[in-house]
């Protein structure tokens, strides 16, 4: 798509005239820029087009060097002194947004509600240093020496200009920036260049000025004045000053060191170098490479590599060998900080949403560490990161143990994936060979990573050993990450009834005024399709938030009509009736099914109690991922990195019931969004992002607080009793708890008691001795099973040696039925025992087991080498038996209900083997 451009007037501010700035067009990148140097030819930015290179390496332009922490404080204090309210940073996981997962810029904190005028800003103007995560730069982190990072702090001073109250706009923004870099940091004014560009993100857009000093872009000053609709820019009533100062870049340029990673990580990076035995670093060489790193584009590859190698007097491959471990160490320093922040906010690695992105980071970091030979030092490096950044971000230290534990669990999962992956790649390679192909396409690499967690490096290592090439994709992780950075657009189902009720006033929701109200009177505003009614006010709760809609009755004209459901359409509530509808305009009496509603209220409040208990037992990483409340039982899905143990489940149940016993008041209130977030933080959004100017907050004292639209009881004691019925792992990283409340919880406990008593009677053991009796019987059963397997194996071995194999070529082939076998395991043992007698062996043995014919196939190593595979024999045999077959190259099974065709299937296998073995090349 052609790049949007704005005319000169969008960038021309009085400050430029006062300070003798002139506008020029760069002949290389073809972008306009503003400079005080009259004869300047290019824009001065280090770009792939070669406009300039970094000239600050070993010669910083600032008055003194700053650490990242010092630069952050200098920036915040500067704007605080100039009337900006200092804001605490928001989380790096954007839980208040339903369109993206990670906070990628400071303006994300205020989109869409503030920028669209739905809620006022927390302060105006304000200043913030916001930790951000951008995984689109993941492949370039390291090779570009610090220009690209996955985690960085964006310093933003923001002003929100309303039609009737402006704060400041373009000219003041440029003046603030110029004063900061020149007077505060001491950079000479003539070295500050302003380059024109267009910014777009989060549905908003506007002209921007990028500030360049000695080749490095330091900040972007965005003048957000448009909303983007279908690619078109529509002017907004609110004009937002959206600035992004790269805190790490300012620290880097102030120190003038060879990389941004040296400026940011210092002692941490040194320690990583020590762990990886990266010593004797030629800093003079690296300084020369660093000066040109801004011209690399994405990374030091291809023509860029040859150009830089020539500049430093080396061959391209020689330079690559020097730089690769250093680049990997740079990336490890960056990635482990990213992981510390993501995991500290309760992201559980998984295959969906932000969990997917976290897993991607963990697995890429593991591969980088493995390349450095220090894959067992991940927890040590994370510990260094937490100790360094936890001073300014205390939640890192609070979550330290959980972070380390989640990483260790995830690392073990990845190692298991790598072990399983070899066989998967082998199957893909064999399939490609059969089709005459010799290259694994990029689409397959992405599928292998998305579906099976296999990185392209692992696939490449395995495939190339088999003579199949893998296309090298430099931006693989970026490509994969981009597919998951934004939440999929929700399919909005257009309710055809919306237009029929659009003119009606909002339904008054009596259930929010008094959740215990059982009867009410109201006037009928509209009747749709003879059985759908809109009332002026109602106590029928409409389905939403995992809580079903209320049922009950409407009474009118001396008769009753059953309400089977209530649904919200836009701002009105529609009642679905079963026995006819009243006429419009008349007064009706409504009565809800109170027994049903009361149990739904108990279940809803119980969900909040179980949620609070789960977090106390399992850790602060626990978040709600889904919920459903019903009368007899409810469920809660939570994020957790491993299966719940029975002991943990019992603790959660006990804690939740303690909250019931404590009779904690349940308070609901409507609060302005900014006030609710300021009071309770982003834990409010357990069930996801909540739209609207106001938020309904449900608070169970200090036990749990959530944004929630459901109906609740007034006191936790009304829940009565909570019984967790069972748990399940419904997907990777998500555990489900199913529970009942009140009478249904008691009934569930009584059912368990009855089962125990029945078991006690069956085993003829009193309840207090039930456990030791069960253990004894289980032990005896296992001993009997082992004895059976031993006898069966002995019988199979004797049977295998007593059978008469036939000689096909130089192979001993056993094909036939074994009548002494009574179960499937006997067939397997017989075939396996025969193949153990030598590498030139093949066994295809069958028998009738119950109502099915079964065949076990084992293939020796030498037969496999010439292309005989057990799975192929099984597939053909299973088809003849009316069933199927599958397995590996060395062992497979087949079976089906057509017992009469067993001998035919064995004969077919024999014929196929003769053809294949007799064709064996000499």
């Amino acid at each position: 798509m052609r790049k949007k451009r704005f005319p000169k007037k969008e960038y021309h501010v009085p400050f430029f005239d006062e300070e003798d700035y002139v506008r020029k067009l760069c002949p290389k990148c073809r972008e306009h820029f503003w400079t005080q140097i009259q004869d300047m030819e290019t824009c001065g930015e280090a770009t792939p087009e070669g406009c300039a290179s970094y000239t600050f390496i070993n010669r910083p332009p600032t008055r003194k060097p700053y650490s990242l922490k010092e630069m952050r404080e200098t920036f915040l204090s500067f704007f605080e002194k100039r009337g900006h309210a200092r804001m605490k940073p928001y989380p790096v996981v954007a839980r208040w947004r339903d369109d993206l997962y990670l906070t990628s810029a400071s303006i994300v904190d205020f989109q869409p509600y503030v920028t669209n005028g739905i809620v006022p800003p927390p302060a105006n103007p304000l200043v913030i240093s916001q930790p951000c995560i951008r995984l689109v730069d993941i492949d370039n982190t390291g090779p570009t020496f610090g220009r690209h990072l996955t985690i960085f702090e964006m310093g933003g001073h923001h002003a929100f200009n309303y039609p009737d109250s402006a704060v400041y706009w373009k000219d003041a923004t440029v003046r603030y920036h110029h004063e900061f870099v020149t007077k505060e940091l001491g950079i000479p004014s003539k070295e500050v260049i302003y380059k024109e560009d267009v910014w777009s993100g989060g549905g908003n857009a506007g002209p921007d000025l990028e500030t360049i000093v000695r080749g490095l872009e330091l900040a972007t000053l965005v003048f957000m004045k448009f909303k983007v609709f279908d690619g078109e820019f529509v002017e907004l009533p609110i004009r937002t000053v959206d600035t992004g100062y790269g805190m790490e870049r300012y620290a880097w340029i102030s120190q003038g060191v060879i990389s941004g990673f040296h400026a940011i990580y210092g002692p941490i990076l040194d320690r990583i170098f020590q762990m990886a035995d990266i010593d004797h670093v030629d800093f003079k060489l690296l300084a020369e490479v660093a000066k040109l790193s801004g011209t690399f584009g994405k990374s030091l590859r291809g023509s860029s590599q040859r150009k830089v190698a020539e500049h430093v007097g080396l061959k391209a491959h020689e330079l690559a060998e020097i730089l690769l471990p250093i680049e990997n160490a740079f990336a490890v320093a960056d990635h482990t900080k990213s992981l510390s922040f993501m995991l500290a906010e309760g992201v559980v690695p998984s295959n969906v949403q932000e969990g997917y992105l976290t897993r991607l980071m963990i697995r890429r970091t593991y591969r980088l560490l493995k390349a450095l030979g220090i894959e067992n030092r991940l927890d040590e490096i994370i510990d260094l990161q937490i100790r360094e950044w936890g001073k300014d971000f205390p939640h890192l230290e609070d979550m330290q143990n959980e972070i380390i534990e989640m990483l260790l669990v995830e690392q073990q999962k990845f190692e298991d994936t790598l072990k399983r992956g070899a066989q998967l790649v082998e199957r893909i390679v064999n399939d490609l060979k059969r089709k005459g192909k010799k290259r694994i396409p990029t689409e397959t690499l992405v599928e292998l990573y998305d579906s099976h967690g296999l990185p392209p490096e692992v696939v490449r290592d395995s495939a190339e050993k088999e003579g199949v090439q893998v296309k090298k994709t430099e931006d693989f992780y970026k490509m994969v990450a981009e597919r998951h950075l934004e939440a999929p657009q929700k399919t909005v189902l257009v309710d055809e009834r919306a237009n029929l009720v659009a003119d009606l006033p909002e339904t008054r929701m009596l259930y929010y005024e008094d959740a215990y109200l059982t009867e009410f009177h109201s006037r009928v505003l509209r009747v749709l399709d003879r059985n759908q009614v809109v009332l002026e006010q109602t106590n029928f709760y409409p389905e939403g938030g995992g809580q079903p809609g209320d049922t009950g009755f409407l009474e009118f004209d001396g008769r009753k009509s059953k309400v089977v459901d209530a649904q919200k359409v836009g701002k009105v509530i529609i009642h679905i009736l079963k026995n006819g509808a009243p006429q419009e305009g008349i007064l009706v009496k409504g009565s809800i099914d109170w027994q049903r509603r009361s149990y739904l209220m108990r279940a809803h409040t119980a969900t909040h109690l179980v949620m609070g208990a789960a977090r106390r037992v399992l850790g602060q990483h626990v978040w709600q991922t889904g919920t459903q409340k019903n009368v007899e039982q409810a469920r809660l899905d939570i994020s957790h990195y491993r299966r719940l143990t029975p002991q943990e489940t019992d603790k959660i149940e006990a804690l939740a019931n303690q909250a019931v016993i404590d009779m904690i008041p349940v308070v609901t209130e409507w609060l302005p969004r900014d006030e609710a977030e300021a009071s309770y933080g982003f834990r409010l959004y357990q069930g996801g992002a909540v739209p609207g100017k106001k938020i309904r907050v449900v608070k169970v004292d200090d036990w749990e607080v959530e944004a929630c639209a459901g109906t609740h009881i007034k006191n936790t004691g009304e829940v009565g009793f909570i019984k967790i019925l069972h748990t399940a792992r419904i997907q990777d990283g998500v555990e489900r708890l199913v529970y009942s409340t009140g009478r249904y919880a008691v009934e569930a406990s009584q059912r368990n008691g009855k089962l125990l008593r029945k078991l006690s009677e069956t085993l003829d053991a009193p309840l207090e001795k039930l456990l030791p009796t069960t253990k004894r019987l289980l032990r005896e059963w296992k001993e009997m099973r082992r004895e059976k397997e031993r006898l069966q194996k002995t019988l199979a071995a004797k049977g295998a040696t007593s059978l008469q194999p036939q000689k096909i070529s130089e192979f001993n082939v056993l094909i036939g039925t074994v009548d002494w076998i009574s179960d499937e395991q006997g067939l397997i043992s017989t075939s396996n025992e025969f193949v153990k007698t030598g590498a030139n062996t093949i066994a295809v043995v069958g028998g009738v087991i119950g109502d099915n014919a079964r065949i076990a196939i084992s293939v020796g190593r030498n037969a496999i080498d010439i292309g005989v595979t057990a799975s192929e024999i099984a597939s053909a045999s299973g088809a003849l038996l009316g069933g199927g077959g599958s397995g590996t190259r060395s062992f497979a099974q087949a079976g089906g209900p057509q017992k009469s065709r067993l001998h035919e299937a064995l004969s077919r296998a024999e014929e196929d083997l003769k053809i294949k073995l007799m064709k064996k090349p000499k």
Side-chain angles (χ1 to χ4, degrees):
M1 187 173 73
R2 187 177 179 183
K3 183 176 179 180
K4 175 80 174 179
R5 293 185 181 277
F6 289 111
K8 175 182 177 181
K9 65 179 182 179
E10 291 289 355
Y11 304 96
H12 190 180
V13 294
F15 171 81
F16 287 157
D17 296 331
E18 293 172 18
E19 298 297 323
D20 296 326
Y21 270 83
V22 293
R23 186 176 189 248
K24 290 175 172 285
L25 178 66
C26 180
K28 294 192 175 183
C29 68
R30 307 303 299 171
E31 301 288 351
H32 285 94
F33 65 98
W34 297 79
T35 176
Q36 289 178 316
I37 303 174
Q38 303 298 314
D39 57 353
M40 190 169 186
E41 295 182 358
T42 69
C43 66
E45 182 180 10
T47 63
E49 293 85 1
C51 304
S53 61
Y54 292 153
T55 57
F56 66 88
I57 304 297
N58 292 329
R59 50 184 300 267
T62 56
R63 191 178 294 112
K64 66 175 186 176
Y66 294 82
S67 66
L68 175 56
K69 180 176 182 177
E70 290 168 341
M71 185 59 74
R72 179 198 307 129
E73 182 54 36
T74 300
F75 169 79
L76 293 171
S77 296
F78 175 86
F79 283 96
E80 196 171 27
K81 292 173 183 175
R82 286 155 181 78
H84 293 67
R86 183 188 297 220
M87 306 300 299
K88 290 182 179 179
Y90 282 47
V92 298
V93 181
R95 300 188 192 272
W96 62 95
R97 300 282 295 266
D98 60 5
D99 56 339
L100 52 86
Y101 301 125
L102 301 175
T103 305
S104 56
S106 60
I107 195 63
V108 167
D109 302 346
F110 313 107
Q111 290 174 315
Y113 302 108
V114 175
T115 56
N116 288 351
I118 298 172
V119 300
N124 197 12
L126 60 84
V127 63
I128 189 170
S129 184
Q130 174 63 47
C132 301
I133 294 181
R134 284 187 189 171
L135 299 190
V136 293
D137 294 327
I138 189 169
D139 289 296
N140 306 324
T141 301
T144 55
F145 277 61
R147 183 159 55 96
H148 295 99
L149 304 169
T150 65
I151 183 167
F152 58 92
E153 289 187 45
M154 179 177 287
H157 59 96
H158 299 286
F160 305 93
N161 298 283
Y162 296 85
D164 57 347
S165 58
V167 182
Y168 64 82
W169 191 226
K170 296 177 184 178
D171 187 63
T173 302
V174 176
R175 291 177 188 274
Y176 277 136
H177 170 270
H178 207 78
E179 183 183 0
F180 175 71
V181 295
T182 57
K183 295 183 179 178
E184 187 71 32
L185 301 184
I187 297 175
S189 179
K190 287 194 174 183
E191 296 210 42
V192 184
I193 300 164
Y194 294 90
K195 188 175 178 180
E196 296 178 7
D197 202 356
V198 176
W199 179 90
S200 179
N204 300 124
D208 76 75
L209 289 168
E210 298 172 351
T211 65
I212 317 297
V213 175
R214 296 193 181 179
L216 182 64
E217 179 189 339
L218 292 176
T220 303
L221 313 179
V222 180
F223 308 108
M224 187 191 297
K225 56 187 291 190
F226 299 104
K227 189 167 182 64
V228 183
F229 287 105
D230 296 327
E232 296 296 321
F233 285 22
V234 180
E235 195 144 352
L236 286 164
I238 301 172
R239 298 173 303 154
T240 302
V241 172
D242 170 24
T243 63
Y245 289 56
M247 293 291 96
E248 287 82 359
R249 292 191 180 191
Y250 278 99
W252 183 15
I253 201 171
S254 78
Q255 296 177 36
V257 289
I258 59 174
S259 80
F261 303 100
H262 286 84
I264 303 164
Y265 297 103
I268 295 176
L269 185 63
D270 292 341
R271 185 74 184 106
I272 295 171
F273 275 30
Q274 292 171 6
M275 292 178 184
D277 292 325
I278 301 174
D279 49 13
H280 305 297
V281 176
D282 187 340
F283 285 97
K284 185 176 180 182
L285 170 67
L286 288 184
E288 291 304 311
V289 175
K291 291 174 184 177
L292 296 175
S293 62
T295 66
F296 294 170
K298 296 177 180 177
S299 61
L300 184 54
R301 302 287 185 268
S303 59
S304 294
Q305 190 177 65
R306 291 190 295 273
K307 175 184 173 183
V308 175
E310 182 180 340
H311 176 74
V312 296
L314 293 172
K315 294 181 179 178
H317 74 275
E318 292 173 336
L319 181 60
E321 289 177 6
I322 294 171
L323 292 181
L324 184 58
I326 294 172
E327 293 172 356
N328 287 346
F330 287 167
V332 164
D334 168 271
H335 291 5
T336 49
K337 182 182 179 183
S338 278
L339 286 173
S340 299
F341 275 74
M342 294 167 83
L343 294 171
E345 291 183 11
V347 179
V348 173
S350 67
N351 293 325
V352 295
Q353 301 178 355
E354 62 267 19
Y356 177 95
L357 300 172
T358 306
R359 173 166 286 171
L360 180 147
M361 285 291 290
I362 292 172
R363 296 190 169 184
R364 186 170 195 270
T365 303
Y366 180 84
R367 293 295 298 171
L368 291 167
L369 290 168
K370 193 173 182 66
L372 292 170
I374 55 172
E375 63 270 26
N376 61 336
R377 310 294 287 273
L378 176 58
D379 57 336
E380 186 178 340
I381 299 171
I382 291 288
D383 183 68
L384 291 172
Q385 296 281 13
I386 292 173
R387 278 192 281 165
E388 174 62 28
W389 307 110
K391 301 166 189 173
D392 298 317
F393 302 94
H395 67 290
L396 296 177
E397 294 180 339
D398 296 339
M399 289 288 289
Q400 182 164 6
N401 292 337
E402 290 179 56
I403 292 171
I404 297 297
E405 189 171 355
M406 282 192 279
L407 279 173
L408 293 177
V409 169
E410 188 64 20
Q411 189 169 340
Q412 184 59 54
K413 285 183 180 179
F414 187 39
E415 290 173 356
D416 294 342
T417 295
L418 296 179
K419 291 174 184 176
R420 295 192 303 268
Q423 292 182 344
L424 178 60
V425 175
E426 184 179 350
R427 289 200 296 271
I428 292 173
V429 166
N430 290 335
D431 184 56
L432 288 172
K433 284 182 173 180
R434 282 194 297 272
K435 294 177 181 177
K437 298 180 180 179
K438 295 184 177 180
R439 180 183 289 272
I440 296 180
T442 301
E443 295 77 17
T444 303
L445 286 179
V446 173
E447 182 183 349
L448 283 170
Y449 185 83
D450 266 353
S451 302
H452 305 282
L454 289 176
E457 304 91 342
V458 173
V459 178
R460 185 177 295 111
D461 292 344
S462 299
E464 290 182 350
K465 291 176 183 176
E466 300 292 330
V468 173
Q469 298 299 309
V470 176
K471 181 181 179 181
K472 291 188 176 182
T473 307
E474 290 183 10
D475 294 338
F476 177 82
Y477 288 98
K478 172 188 175 182
M479 178 174 59
V480 171
E482 283 181 329
R483 293 157 58 116
H484 297 269
L485 285 176
E486 296 183 354
Q489 288 189 347
K490 295 180 180 178
T491 302
V492 180
L493 299 176
V494 179
D495 196 316
E496 295 178 354
R497 299 171 297 180
N499 291 332
L500 301 177
V501 297
D503 60 319
L504 295 179
E506 181 178 3
T507 305
R508 181 181 174 187
M509 295 170 280
L510 299 174
Y511 48 82
Y512 281 154
E513 298 174 23
D514 182 1
Y516 292 78
L517 182 68
T518 60
E519 297 180 349
F520 66 98
H521 292 83
S522 181
R523 194 168 302 281
V524 179
L525 296 183
R526 188 150 299 169
V527 179
L528 309 173
D529 295 335
R530 298 182 180 178
N531 70 332
Q532 301 185 46
V533 175
V534 180
L535 304 177
E536 191 173 33
Q537 61 182 7
T538 185
N539 194 41
F540 284 88
Y541 178 83
E543 180 183 4
Q547 180 176 327
D550 283 332
T551 60
F553 293 94
L554 288 185
E555 297 180 42
F556 52 91
D557 296 336
R559 61 192 179 99
K560 279 186 174 183
S561 185
K562 185 173 179 60
V563 179
V564 297
D565 195 12
Q567 301 168 356
K568 191 168 187 182
V569 178
K571 58 185 180 180
V572 306
I573 295 170
I574 297 178
H575 306 73
I576 314 300
L577 306 182
K578 186 178 181 180
N579 310 118
Q583 293 182 345
E584 291 183 2
I586 71 168
L587 197 66
V588 299
K589 177 183 177 182
S591 56
I592 64 170
D593 182 339
W594 170 247
Q595 186 176 31
R596 181 175 180 273
R597 159 77 82 79
S598 65
Y599 266 100
L600 290 173
M601 288 167 64
R602 291 188 185 102
H604 208 141
T605 301
T607 298
H608 289 219
L609 300 184
V610 173
M611 183 69 219
R615 189 178 302 115
R616 285 163 173 79
V617 172
L618 304 175
Q620 294 299 310
H621 64 274
V622 173
W623 285 75
Q624 175 185 309
T625 63
T627 182
Q628 181 64 47
K629 300 90 180 175
N630 287 300
V631 172
E632 296 188 13
Q633 65 180 36
R635 63 171 170 82
L636 171 67
D637 300 336
I638 60 172
S639 57
H640 190 46
Y641 51 88
R642 63 185 177 200
R643 280 294 285 120
L644 280 172
T645 66
Q647 294 79 11
E648 289 169 337
T649 303
D650 289 345
K651 286 181 180 178
I652 292 170
E653 181 180 279
L655 269 180
N657 278 297
Q658 186 60 53
V660 173
I661 294 168
D662 290 344
M663 302 181 66
I664 306 169
V666 180
V667 179
T668 62
E669 60 179 337
W670 288 91
L671 292 175
R673 174 180 293 275
D674 56 339
E675 184 180 329
E677 291 177 353
S679 298
Y680 302 114
F682 296 97
R683 278 282 180 190
L684 282 170
Y685 304 125
Q686 286 291 334
V690 179
K693 186 174 183 178
K694 286 191 171 184
I695 295 175
R696 185 170 182 263
V697 176
V698 176
K699 184 183 180 186
V700 187
D701 198 34
D702 63 349
W703 187 264
E704 182 71 352
V705 60
E706 295 181 25
C708 178
T711 57
H712 287 269
I713 52 183
K714 293 179 179 178
N715 188 290
T716 60
E718 296 179 43
V719 172
F721 176 43
I722 299 172
K723 179 63 184 173
I724 297 179
L725 307 178
H726 61 86
T727 68
R729 193 161 187 80
I730 61 170
Q731 69 183 51
D732 191 20
V734 178
E735 292 286 301
R736 172 168 291 174
L737 297 100
V738 179
Y739 45 91
S740 293
T741 63
R743 174 167 64 89
Y744 297 103
V746 172
E747 290 176 357
S749 296
Q750 290 175 338
R751 284 194 299 271
N752 290 343
K754 288 177 183 178
L755 285 174
L756 283 174
R757 289 193 294 273
K758 188 69 176 175
L759 183 61
S760 174
E761 294 170 6
T762 302
L763 298 180
D764 192 24
L767 283 174
E768 63 270 16
K769 294 185 178 180
L770 193 57
L771 183 58
T773 300
T774 305
K775 286 182 177 179
R776 176 178 58 79
L777 291 173
L778 183 61
R779 184 172 60 252
E780 292 173 357
W781 175 78
K782 287 181 178 179
E783 290 172 356
M784 292 175 63
R785 188 178 65 176
R786 282 194 294 268
E787 179 63 15
K788 177 187 175 183
E789 290 173 352
R790 186 187 67 77
L791 292 172
Q792 196 172 53
K793 193 172 182 180
T794 302
L795 182 62
K798 290 181 179 179
T801 55
S802 65
L803 291 172
Q804 296 299 317
Q806 56 180 301
K807 198 80 170 178
I808 303 178
S809 185
E810 72 266 34
F811 291 90
N812 291 325
V813 182
L814 174 64
I815 299 181
T817 58
V818 283
D819 300 328
W820 62 85
I821 297 301
S822 61
D823 60 19
E824 189 176 327
Q825 187 57 45
L827 287 177
I828 296 171
S829 297
T830 301
S831 66
N832 285 342
E833 290 299 321
F834 180 76
V835 170
K836 285 180 182 178
T837 61
N840 284 14
T841 52
I842 302 171
V844 184
V845 294
V848 176
I849 311 296
D851 295 329
N852 290 289
R854 307 291 301 180
I855 297 175
I857 307 104
S858 295
V859 180
R861 185 176 62 254
N862 291 348
I864 292 173
D865 290 342
I866 66 167
V868 177
T869 61
S871 57
E872 287 184 6
I873 301 172
S875 179
S877 301
L880 285 173
L881 297 175
S886 63
T888 64
R889 295 191 298 172
S890 59
F891 176 77
Q893 297 181 77
Q898 297 185 24
K899 297 180 284 187
S900 61
R901 302 189 72 181
L902 176 60
H903 289 285
E904 181 185 348
L906 294 172
S907 298
R908 169 70 178 275
E910 181 180 355
E911 292 171 10
D912 291 344
L913 283 171
K914 284 180 178 179
I915 294 171
K916 183 159 286 191
L917 295 176
M918 296 305 291
K919 284 185 177 181
K920 174 184 174 292
K922 303 294 182 185

